[in-house]
Amino acid sequence: MESQGKSEIAAVVNGGLQLSQNRGLGAALAVGLAESASELVARMDADDIALPDRFARQYAAFTENPALDLVSGYAVEIDGNGTQGRLRTVPINHEDIISTLWANPIIHPAVMFRRDKILAVGSYNPSLRRRQDYELWFRCAAAGMRFGNIPEPLIEYRFTPDTHKRQSRKDMWQQGVIGFNGSRKIGLPLWKQLACFVPFLRSLLPAPLQHVAYRAMQRFDPRKNERSSP
């Protein structure tokens, strides 16, 4: 059973699929997921780096806890030159993840999930060029899917001052709306619903200050959680 699972994961990693035209990331993810034949599907961004035992750890998490539907974990930030920086931590157990879902405590490039469960809730929204994961997680939560995060880094996550420059105010407003509606749908408190618009407010700052503001606000980031019980 273990070797079968590992070969399934390898098929996802090594497989290739190219769209005839650029329809945006949401559409690409939806097509890729539909074409996949694996029980477990892992996702990554092209500029990030998977740590050597990432897939083994996630496969083990699913094996040890069959109730899990989606597993991500910590990430080590790297700059444009690949130099390691801060460790991004996230809540570990399902209840804490749901409680902080408004802040998106699931690192998308490090995620692995059960394909059939994601398809059952409608897959990625092909109309969304950004925040496809954020919107999907709320639908997963509303459907009763079980989340987990591994309390160890799984990837090196590319993060530079230019990261915020690629996100327009329109993108940030859309993120706020997605978070507000999703938080309300799963019954999070009103203050958490409204807090989803903080990134939009930050986007109103001059571009050079947005990255500075992001760093300054990290001390209040609810995603930081060192508890290790899954």
Side-chain angles (χ1 to χ4, degrees), residues 133-153:
D133 56 323
Y134 194 37
E135 189 269 344
L136 176 59
W137 307 153
F138 283 114
R139 284 190 279 122
C140 291
M145 287 177 55
R146 300 291 297 182
F147 301 124
N149 279 318
I150 296 173
E152 298 178 23

Side-chain angles (χ1 to χ4, degrees), residues 4-212:
Q4 178 183 358
K6 289 182 179 179
S7 65
E8 289 174 348
I9 294 172
V12 177
V13 175
N14 296 327
L17 181 66
Q18 186 173 356
L19 301 181
S20 59
Q21 60 181 359
N22 185 352
R23 294 161 49 195
L25 182 56
L29 291 170
V31 171
L33 190 60
E35 293 294 326
S36 172
S38 299
E39 176 186 352
L40 298 176
V41 174
R43 187 196 176 278
M44 273 198 67
D45 285 324
D47 57 349
D48 298 329
I49 301 171
L51 296 180
D53 55 354
R54 172 198 166 175
F55 300 119
R57 290 183 180 182
Q58 289 179 288
Y59 180 73
F62 281 110
T63 302
E64 294 167 7
N65 187 353
L68 285 175
D69 298 308
L70 182 153
V71 175
S72 189
Y74 294 177
V76 178
E77 291 183 3
I78 55 174
D79 63 17
N81 298 318
T83 303
Q84 290 191 351
R86 303 187 183 201
L87 175 66
R88 289 196 175 198
T89 63
V90 285
I92 302 306
N93 63 52
H94 174 80
E95 291 73 20
D96 289 337
I97 293 172
I98 295 296
S99 178
T100 56
L101 201 58
W102 63 276
N104 201 358
I106 300 170
I107 297 176
H108 194 202
V111 78
M112 180 182 287
F113 47 65
R114 298 189 187 278
R115 175 179 176 270
D116 61 337
K117 292 298 185 70
I118 299 298
L119 290 177
V121 300
S123 189
Y124 289 93
N125 185 336
S127 70
L128 293 178
R129 288 183 171 267
R130 289 188 177 273
R131 309 299 179 260
Q132 310 84 6
D133 56 323
Y134 194 37
E135 189 269 344
L136 176 59
W137 307 153
F138 283 114
R139 284 190 279 122
C140 291
M145 287 177 55
R146 300 291 297 182
F147 301 124
N149 279 318
I150 296 173
E152 298 178 23
L154 300 179
I155 65 168
E156 292 181 330
Y157 179 78
R158 193 81 57 178
F159 187 76
T160 72
D162 291 334
T163 300
H164 294 294
K165 295 180 182 179
R166 298 195 297 265
Q167 304 177 34
S168 68
R169 290 176 182 174
K170 181 180 179 181
D171 293 332
M172 294 295 94
W173 176 256
Q174 182 183 55
Q175 174 178 325
V177 172
I178 290 173
F180 179 83
N181 291 334
S183 297
R184 183 173 56 180
K185 185 175 183 179
I186 64 173
L188 295 182
L190 179 60
W191 75 265
K192 293 184 178 181
Q193 299 174 30
L194 297 175
C196 296
F197 289 100
V198 168
F200 169 73
L201 297 177
R202 188 179 65 236
S203 74
L204 300 178
L205 296 172
L209 295 180
Q210 291 184 32
H211 190 74
V212 175

Side-chain angles (χ1 to χ4, degrees), residues 210-223:
Q210 291 184 32
H211 190 74
V212 175
Y214 174 84
R215 287 301 194 194
M217 295 175 64
Q218 280 191 315
R219 69 186 68 181
F220 308 108
D221 193 333
R223 289 171 290 188

